[in-house]
Amino acid sequence: MSAKIMRLETMVETLQEDLKNFGKGKKKDASLALPRAPAKFTCKGHKSAITCVAFHPVYSQVVTSSEDCSIMVWDYDEGQQEKKLKGHIDVVQHVTFNQDGKLLASCSADLSIKVWNVEKALCVKTMKGHDHTVSCVEFIASGDRLMSCSRDKSIKLWDVQSGYCLRTIQGHRDWVRQVKITPCSTLFASCSIDHTVRVWDFKKAEEIITFRDHKHVVDAIAFSHERADKVLLKHVHGTNGSKEAEAKTAGSNAKETSSPYTPQFIASASRDKTIKIFHIPSGAMVADINGHENWVRGVLFHPSGKYLLSCADDQTIRVWDLEKRFRCRKILEDAHDPFVTCIDWNMSRPVLASGGVDNIMKIWECS
């Protein structure tokens, strides 16, 4: 009953705020667009649960991976399947594009990492070296290397062209669920079944800090970006900011920096039903977000920097307001049945994709 009351209160607050900000004669800021129900497209094709969704950085395509061992490429403008990539012989755990979208990397419970030419639907490289399920893979910004993490407790760095493993990084005590790399490639982070989130120096491959605040498996992490940092620094230095906070974000009002930015925060999603946000330089936890009623599976920062999005096994996708004490801004009810496994935001256009245990990928328009 209390959960239902909280959801109704969230709906009322959202409507009141929308009326105040975007009432008669007021133009809505497109940069603040949020996903709205119902979903524009419900895409069926996979025979088992969807494990990951990833938007193409240039074209109107979104890629899904699944427990049915396949990868599918979809046109999100039409909601139609374009291609199917076959090659893995066990669950495909994760997919990711390089910066120009010419290459796609995938990883699997078959212990392999594959690199694909998506246009030709062709596997151009297969990498092997992990001793157990490979759970996540990410390209370095330059595109010539990628990182992977595994149930064998390790993180590996690979050369894309040769397929050789360049480095193996140890530290976690159990299955490493995800690895993420900053755009500037100075830091990377990992999360694990060992309940920790770890941030590492990329060049030295040395651990910088470990966050041990979760009480259960940490399934997903996301680095912040410059706009989000500007909002979150207020929670570190006070609501009105400070000279230090202002110095770190100076000029970002007028113009975003063109060079790659080093994020100051990391968000984590856990099976303890919480989302936490940590300030990397100080090691402080700035947010402990409660609201989901089951395991939280995915988390990402909204491009505006004002919101955080999450998905969970409670069938919902939720939007959290970073400016207003991390309260729940919006809930997409019954997004998937029974569990929402993954979400991704299209950085070219305001569109959200989600995947679920129901074998379905959904496209959500934002406004």
Side-chain angles (χ1 to χ4, degrees):
M1 180 63 74
S2 60
K4 189 175 288 187
I5 291 171
M6 286 177 64
R7 292 187 184 191
L8 289 171
E9 287 176 343
T10 297
M11 290 174 63
V12 171
E13 289 176 3
T14 299
L15 289 170
Q16 288 176 337
E17 189 165 323
D18 284 347
L19 186 62
K20 178 182 176 181
N21 295 332
F22 315 119
K24 188 175 180 180
K26 295 182 180 180
K27 189 176 180 181
K28 191 166 185 178
D29 186 348
S31 69
L32 301 178
L34 296 175
R36 68 172 188 268
K40 181 181 180 181
F41 294 117
T42 297
C43 305
K44 299 179 180 180
H46 284 293
K47 297 177 182 178
S48 295
I50 293 176
T51 56
C52 185
V53 288
F55 279 104
H56 193 286
V58 180
Y59 304 130
S60 60
Q61 293 177 324
V62 61
V63 172
T64 53
S65 61
S66 170
E67 291 183 4
D68 65 11
C69 311
S70 75
I71 300 164
M72 292 188 181
V73 183
W74 309 78
D75 181 327
Y76 64 75
D77 278 336
E78 303 293 333
Q80 298 293 320
Q81 180 189 330
E82 291 186 339
K83 299 170 185 175
K84 188 172 185 177
L85 310 181
K86 291 184 177 181
H88 286 293
I89 56 174
D90 207 333
V91 174
V92 186
Q93 298 279 357
H94 194 261
V95 286
T96 186
F97 282 103
N98 68 348
Q99 278 198 332
D100 62 14
K102 292 181 179 179
L103 296 177
L104 177 82
S106 62
C107 61
S108 170
D110 65 12
L111 316 190
S112 76
I113 299 161
K114 292 183 181 291
V115 179
W116 307 81
N117 179 317
V118 180
E119 186 178 352
K120 297 179 180 179
L122 179 68
C123 177
V124 296
K125 189 70 64 177
T126 298
M127 306 172 189
K128 293 186 177 181
H130 281 293
D131 297 324
H132 213 314
T133 298
V134 190
S135 46
C136 184
V137 64
E138 291 286 333
F139 278 101
I140 308 301
S142 59
D144 59 343
R145 288 172 290 172
L146 54 81
M147 296 193 85
S148 62
C149 62
S150 167
R151 193 172 179 176
D152 66 12
K153 308 176 189 177
S154 75
I155 300 165
K156 290 182 183 289
L157 178 68
W158 306 82
D159 179 78
V160 173
Q161 186 172 4
S162 68
Y164 292 151
C165 179
L166 304 175
R167 178 177 282 169
T168 298
I169 301 155
Q170 305 283 354
H172 282 287
R173 293 182 286 105
D174 211 326
W175 187 344
V176 190
R177 298 290 293 163
Q178 257 193 13
V179 62
K180 295 292 179 182
I181 310 157
T182 59
C184 55
S185 301
T186 55
L187 303 175
F188 69 93
S190 55
C191 62
S192 169
I193 281 184
D194 66 13
H195 303 186
T196 68
V197 176
R198 300 173 190 242
V199 180
W200 311 73
D201 181 291
F202 179 81
K203 189 175 181 179
K204 298 178 181 178
E206 293 178 355
E207 190 176 317
I208 296 172
I209 192 168
T210 300
F211 300 103
R212 305 179 187 275
D213 299 78
H214 282 291
K215 298 177 181 178
H216 207 320
V217 173
V218 187
D219 273 320
I221 48 177
F223 277 112
S224 61
H225 48 71
E226 191 168 1
R227 291 179 180 178
D229 281 1
K230 193 179 166 194
V231 175
L232 291 169
L233 278 168
K234 295 177 183 178
H235 296 283
V236 177
H237 303 294
T239 54
N240 294 321
S242 68
K243 290 182 179 179
E244 182 182 355
E246 289 169 6
K248 287 180 179 179
T249 56
S252 58
N253 263 333
K255 186 177 181 181
E256 299 288 323
T257 56
S258 57
S259 58
Y261 177 77
T262 301
Q264 296 191 47
F265 295 86
I266 189 165
S268 55
S270 171
R271 295 182 192 179
D272 63 14
K273 306 178 187 178
T274 72
I275 302 158
K276 300 184 190 299
I277 303 177
F278 302 101
H279 183 229
I280 298 168
S282 68
M285 181 173 69
V286 299
D288 185 7
I289 303 171
N290 291 270
H292 278 296
E293 298 163 31
N294 210 332
W295 295 357
V296 190
R297 294 290 193 175
V299 64
L300 59 84
F301 283 93
H302 189 276
S304 70
K306 296 180 182 293
Y307 306 114
L308 187 76
L309 284 79
S310 61
C311 65
D313 283 0
D314 60 8
Q315 304 184 18
T316 70
I317 297 169
R318 301 185 185 225
V319 180
W320 309 90
D321 195 321
L322 301 183
E323 289 186 316
K324 300 189 175 178
R325 298 184 179 181
F326 310 103
R327 72 172 178 85
C328 188
R329 174 73 170 79
K330 191 169 190 176
I331 302 175
L332 296 179
E333 302 273 5
D334 302 317
H336 290 271
D337 184 17
F339 306 141
V340 191
T341 56
C342 50
I343 52 174
D344 192 33
W345 187 276
N346 182 5
M347 299 307 292
S348 301
R349 291 163 52 187
V351 178
L352 181 78
S354 64
V357 175
D358 52 11
N359 312 347
I360 290 171
M361 187 265 292
K362 291 187 178 182
I363 297 296
W364 308 82
E365 287 188 315
C366 303
S367 61

